[in-house]
Amino acid sequence: QKEVEQNSGPLSVPEGAIASLNCTYSDRVSQSFFWYRQYSGKSPELIMSIYSNGDKEDGRFTAQLNKASQYVSLLIRDSQPSDSATYLCAVMGGFKTIFGAGTRLFVKA
Amino acid sequence: DAGVTQSPTHLIKTRGQQVTLRCSPKSGHDTVSWYQQALGQGPQFIFQYYEEEERQRGNFPDRFSGHQFPNYSSELNVNALLLGDSALYLCASSLVSGDYGYTFGSGTRLTVV
């Protein structure tokens, strides 16, 4: 079983729609959870962090964490073509942060 | 405020050679982690350095080694290069707690021929 699992996609949504990205993790003692965005040919960029159960909102982005289900999600409201990228879920346990393989999102204009 | 700086940007090496990649962390960061990212994959953790010591290591062979200097900059060394070592190598800096996530450099694209 992979430590951090994501649907590879591609996930295709129309402009203005809500994009929903999901992630599950295997290590129950994981402490911190992150979403990174990676444009093609670029390095990952941190967009959200979440540490406790529930929702955390930042602009058009909402991260959701459910530790009992070992599940993290990212919602992107009012999706824009500029949101088209690969979204990496990352889970920190101890000194190590493990990344999922990423979900490719394509927002159609 | 300088971000994370990596050098070189691109590198082509022959099988069996050795390579050294360099990283300067973001100002105020004291911890450096190195990742390998193959095409279409997520970054794979190689190791993390803090206070000039390797604090944790991922599932990479001993051919991969590193160093951190007193100014927090870091090097990644790979010996006896294999074709499979071709990848994007990412340096990520953070505070020691890691709670605020990583700042990544632009990466070094290594091609082994």
Side-chain angles (χ1 to χ4, degrees):
Chain A
Q1 180 188 8
K2 291 183 180 178
E3 294 181 78
V4 178
E5 294 207 53
Q6 299 181 251
N7 187 321
S8 62
L11 173 66
S12 183
V13 300
E15 183 175 359
I18 295 175
S20 177
L21 306 165
N22 305 313
C23 170
T24 58
Y25 61 94
S26 60
D27 188 351
R28 285 193 168 274
V29 300
S30 298
Q31 307 150 320
S32 305
F33 307 85
F34 307 93
W35 285 98
Y36 289 80
R37 177 176 61 201
Q38 186 172 27
Y39 291 114
S40 181
K42 302 294 185 182
S43 58
E45 170 193 18
L46 179 66
I47 54 172
M48 287 289 289
S49 59
I50 187 166
Y51 310 107
S52 54
N53 284 328
D55 296 357
K56 179 182 178 182
E57 186 174 319
D58 184 1
R60 295 186 297 112
F61 299 98
T62 298
Q64 300 173 316
L65 174 61
N66 184 326
K67 290 186 177 181
S69 301
Q70 296 175 245
Y71 177 88
V72 193
S73 67
L74 179 70
L75 300 178
I76 306 175
R77 290 181 300 281
D78 188 24
S79 294
Q80 301 297 308
S82 59
D83 293 327
S84 298
T86 296
Y87 289 81
L88 299 164
C89 173
V91 176
M92 188 177 85
F95 302 134
K96 187 168 65 172
T97 296
I98 301 300
F99 286 80
T103 298
R104 286 187 296 142
L105 173 66
F106 179 60
V107 181
K108 298 175 292 183
Chain B
D1 181 22
V4 179
T5 303
Q6 287 189 247
S7 63
T9 305
H10 296 86
L11 205 51
I12 300 175
K13 289 286 190 178
T14 304
R15 276 181 299 175
Q17 285 188 315
Q18 179 264 344
V19 67
T20 297
L21 311 182
R22 295 177 175 82
C23 172
S24 293
K26 179 180 177 178
S27 177
H29 285 180
D30 55 11
T31 302
V32 173
S33 303
W34 285 93
Y35 285 81
Q36 180 194 68
Q37 187 175 27
L39 204 59
Q41 301 297 315
Q44 299 296 308
F45 177 74
I46 302 175
F47 40 55
Q48 183 181 89
Y49 276 85
Y50 171 67
E51 291 190 333
E52 302 179 49
E53 292 193 358
E54 183 182 290
R55 192 159 73 153
Q56 189 156 5
R57 187 180 185 90
N59 188 26
F60 278 79
D62 291 345
R63 299 186 297 110
F64 290 77
S65 63
H67 190 77
Q68 186 180 34
F69 300 94
N71 66 353
Y72 308 121
S73 67
S74 177
E75 289 183 348
L76 164 65
N77 301 292
V78 187
N79 294 322
L81 284 167
L82 303 174
L83 295 179
D85 294 332
S86 296
L88 179 67
Y89 288 84
L90 294 164
C91 171
S93 75
S94 63
L95 297 172
V96 63
S97 68
D99 283 346
Y100 298 102
Y102 290 150
T103 300
F104 280 92
S106 56
T108 295
R109 172 70 63 187
L110 173 65
T111 302
V112 182
V113 296

